[in-house]
Amino acid sequence: MGKPFQLKIFEKFLKEKGIAYKVDEPLAKHTTIRIGGPASFMVFPKKEDELLEIVKNATELDIPWYVVGGGSNLLCADEGYSGVVINLRNMKGIAERSFAPDATLFLEALSGTMVGEVISFARKKGYSGLEFLAGVPATVGGAVRMNAGAYGRSFSMLVRRVKLLKDGKIEDYEPKDSDWTYRSFSKEGIVVSATLELVKSNPEEIERKLKEIYFKRKASQPLAEKTFGSAFKNPPCCYAGKLIEDCGLKGFRVGGAKVSEKHANFIVNLGSATAKDVLALLREVQKRVWERFSIMLEPEVKFLGCSM
Ligand SMILES: Cc1cc2nc3c(=O)[nH]c(=O)nc-3n(C[C@H](O)[C@H](O)[C@H](O)COP(=O)(O)OP(=O)(O)OC[C@H]3O[C@@H](n4cnc5c(N)ncnc54)[C@H](O)[C@@H]3O)c2cc1C
């Protein structure tokens, strides 16, 4: 990009509209693995119309843009990103859309709402369904885009409608089964909100499920470390973590990046890891698994400004 004139016009627009933004904002501050150089601009829309205008302006000015939620499945380049990173964390809120008191509750959550907040909201009302994602630092938008899942359940099972921003318009879309695959929602656009269907349950049962999931996660994943969740998708045959572990790679290091000893499909930033370290580690893991099992692991993590 590097077009100072366009960037100046873009900044003028942000100022005029009173949209919050930062210049040369370190992406490391906005990803759970705490890696990534500066984004030329990071903008923080709070409402749909701000988001629409940001995308419209950046597109017209030919400035590249990228959407970030919780940054919990993202590796950003050490060089950063020459463009506009649209951080949706301030676009949050939950509204009850309709419900049949004895059976279901429909909640519409804006994309930047943390999944954990939706779980708490539903729990207080006595509705269940999202417990499988307890402890996952995802936003609703990121969980839709990635079709986040665990323990045999996935976001797709709960999502009834998605508001999507595409081509300058917001569409209220009813997802089809074919839109969802393992760790992906294929319909293009920025997820503005999602309406989830939750089922009535008793509070003790919800509490029990939440505790069970939390302790299961804590026992098997390095939750207190800097990671981006699963590095690779599970291939059809088996778990990626098991394949990596069977190659003897737990604890394997490149620079400041290490394969977690707790869960081999998690890469840990020991404190000083660079994106280059992580990429070299991912490539080596992929190579060793291929050599031993003839299985090519596919990254689950998304890349911004870098690639494997
Ligand atoms: C400790 C830990 C545990 C985890 N456990 C799980 C797990 O059990 N199951 C699981 O599936 N994942 C897990 N993850 C990974 C991650 O939390 C999920 O992939 C999550 O859905 C990503 O959401 P996010 O908001 O952080 O998205 P980000 O990481 O910010 O973005 C991920 C991708 O989604 C896109 N995106 C984000 N928001 C939007 C939007 N509003 N519209 C369109 N595109 C968007 C981004 O451009 C990017 O391509 C874990 C991560 C961590 C750190």
Side-chain angles (χ1 to χ4, degrees):
M1 189 193 50
K3 295 175 187 159
F5 181 64
Q6 274 86 339
L7 288 177
K8 281 247 167 313
I9 301 175
F10 186 71
E11 187 166 15
K12 188 166 171 273
F13 143 75
L14 293 173
K15 280 188 177 146
E16 277 169 10
K17 295 286 171 188
I19 297 172
Y21 71 96
K22 289 185 174 171
V23 178
D24 290 334
E25 176 68 357
L27 286 158
K29 280 169 66 177
H30 302 273
T31 57
T32 52
I33 196 160
R34 296 282 179 259
I35 290 175
S40 315
F41 278 88
M42 187 174 283
V43 294
F44 302 87
K46 281 192 175 149
K47 297 178 286 183
E48 269 178 34
D49 57 337
E50 288 183 352
L51 177 62
L52 266 167
E53 291 210 55
I54 289 165
V55 174
K56 181 171 173 281
N57 268 270
T59 307
E60 278 172 9
L61 289 164
D62 203 19
I63 303 172
W65 53 267
Y66 190 84
V67 172
V68 166
S72 65
N73 209 199
L74 199 57
L75 180 67
C76 301
D78 300 318
E79 296 75 24
Y81 181 68
S82 286
V84 175
V85 170
I86 305 174
N87 186 321
L88 292 172
R89 287 290 292 274
N90 290 349
M91 233 173 84
K92 52 188 200 169
I94 304 171
E96 290 176 43
R97 283 302 168 224
S98 70
F99 74 114
D102 292 327
T104 51
L105 171 68
F106 290 87
L107 289 182
E108 181 178 2
L110 288 175
S111 62
T113 314
M114 296 304 288
V115 167
E117 292 175 50
V118 184
I119 295 175
S120 300
F121 186 96
R123 182 183 57 170
K124 282 187 197 131
K125 305 223 158 246
Y127 288 84
S128 161
L130 261 180
E131 293 78 16
F132 65 98
L133 287 181
V136 176
T139 59
V140 167
V144 171
R145 180 52 69 218
M146 300 299 298
N147 190 12
Y151 310 116
R153 298 196 42 87
S154 61
F155 219 56
S156 59
M157 294 172 175
L158 305 166
V159 178
R160 297 295 168 257
R161 301 200 79 83
V162 180
K163 272 194 194 159
L164 287 165
L165 189 166
K166 189 166 176 280
D167 299 332
K169 289 188 291 258
I170 293 182
E171 180 192 359
D172 190 0
Y173 181 71
E174 188 178 340
K176 299 190 281 291
D177 285 350
S178 57
D179 295 322
W180 302 100
T181 49
Y182 171 58
R183 297 295 168 269
S184 173
F185 173 61
S186 61
K187 183 89 177 161
E188 271 181 53
I190 300 177
V191 177
V192 175
S193 73
T195 300
L196 310 172
E197 181 178 354
L198 301 164
V199 292
K200 186 86 181 154
S201 179
N202 83 52
E204 292 86 54
E205 178 56 14
I206 300 175
E207 205 58 46
R208 189 197 62 72
K209 271 197 211 155
L210 284 172
K211 281 203 180 116
E212 183 188 308
I213 296 289
Y214 175 72
F215 286 115
K216 217 166 162 177
R217 261 185 208 287
K218 201 166 163 236
S220 61
Q221 297 178 0
L223 297 185
E225 315 249 28
K226 302 178 186 97
T227 75
F228 44 53
S230 295
F232 295 101
K233 293 181 185 176
N234 290 323
C237 63
C238 41
Y239 290 108
K242 174 82 170 69
L243 296 172
I244 300 166
E245 186 175 346
D246 288 349
C247 289
L249 289 169
K250 272 188 166 178
F252 181 71
R253 271 181 75 164
V254 174
K258 182 179 82 164
V259 174
S260 165
E261 265 121 8
K262 211 163 185 183
H263 192 312
N265 200 19
F266 278 58
I267 305 291
V268 174
N269 172 4
L270 295 169
S272 59
T274 60
K276 279 191 193 69
D277 294 340
V278 175
L279 289 167
L281 186 55
L282 290 173
R283 281 186 210 112
E284 189 58 31
V285 167
Q286 198 183 42
K287 178 170 158 273
R288 301 253 194 124
V289 169
W290 171 252
E291 284 168 357
R292 171 117 193 243
F293 299 107
S294 301
I295 294 171
M296 187 53 74
L297 291 178
E298 193 191 322
E300 179 170 321
V301 60
K302 299 290 174 194
F303 301 100
L304 177 57
C306 55
S307 62
M308 263 185 76

